[in-house]
Amino acid sequence: MRNLLIVASALAIAACSQAEEAEPVVETTEAAETEAAALAADGAETPGMYRVTTEAGDVYMEEVKADGTYVTTKDGEVTETGKWEQPSPDQYCTTIDEAYISEDDDGSRKCNTEQIGEDGVWTSVNEKGETAIVERVES
């Protein structure tokens, strides 16, 4: 009986030390990427194609890419490229590429406040207070 008790104790100690040495469970890359995916004001992931209509009636198409870049076109011609970030669904930020910097834009990071109103209209307001209507479109 005494030998059985010693063997059982030794097995219990061995089992405890193995549990302590076990590596912690790590989230899979796919799960971590899903949690980190930026969401737009409409609740869907940010990357996609958008139609942006300014207060003046100008219509731009903006392709927001999963690699963190964007391309804006007007009448089929590229008007701007750069990098985007979406820290929250109500804030969309861009940094314009150097080739498109003008006297009106110093190339610094700019953020728009975005929301979908009770009427279902998605608006984006830039730092100057100018409002644009945003629509997600099929690419």
Side-chain angles (χ1 to χ4, degrees):
M1 182 69 137
R2 182 172 185 215
N3 286 340
L4 184 58
L5 198 51
I6 291 172
V7 171
S9 297
L11 289 174
I13 291 171
C16 289
S17 65
Q18 286 179 352
E20 290 174 9
E21 293 172 13
E23 293 185 27
V25 177
V26 179
E27 286 186 37
T28 64
T29 303
E30 185 178 327
E33 288 174 3
T34 300
E35 288 178 4
L39 298 179
D42 64 357
E45 289 188 14
T46 303
M49 184 66 77
Y50 299 88
R51 179 182 300 112
V52 181
T53 306
T54 67
E55 290 177 339
D58 294 321
V59 178
Y60 295 88
M61 297 302 293
E62 185 160 292
E63 181 182 8
V64 179
K65 300 179 182 182
D67 69 357
T69 63
Y70 71 92
V71 176
T72 304
T73 60
K74 181 179 180 193
D75 300 326
E77 293 187 35
V78 175
T79 59
E80 184 175 302
T81 63
K83 294 182 180 13
W84 68 269
E85 297 175 73
Q86 185 128 27
S88 67
D90 64 344
Q91 188 177 36
Y92 177 75
C93 304
T94 59
T95 304
I96 191 171
D97 284 339
E98 188 173 328
Y100 293 94
I101 294 175
S102 66
E103 51 189 64
D104 294 336
D105 191 334
D106 63 5
S108 63
R109 180 177 181 238
K110 308 261 186 315
C111 295
N112 292 5
T113 302
E114 300 199 332
Q115 69 178 7
I116 295 182
E118 290 179 16
D119 57 0
V121 175
W122 181 346
T123 58
S124 182
V125 181
N126 68 16
E127 294 174 343
K128 297 176 184 176
E130 300 166 329
T131 301
I133 304 299
V134 179
E135 302 168 81
R136 187 182 292 268
V137 296
E138 295 296 319
S139 50

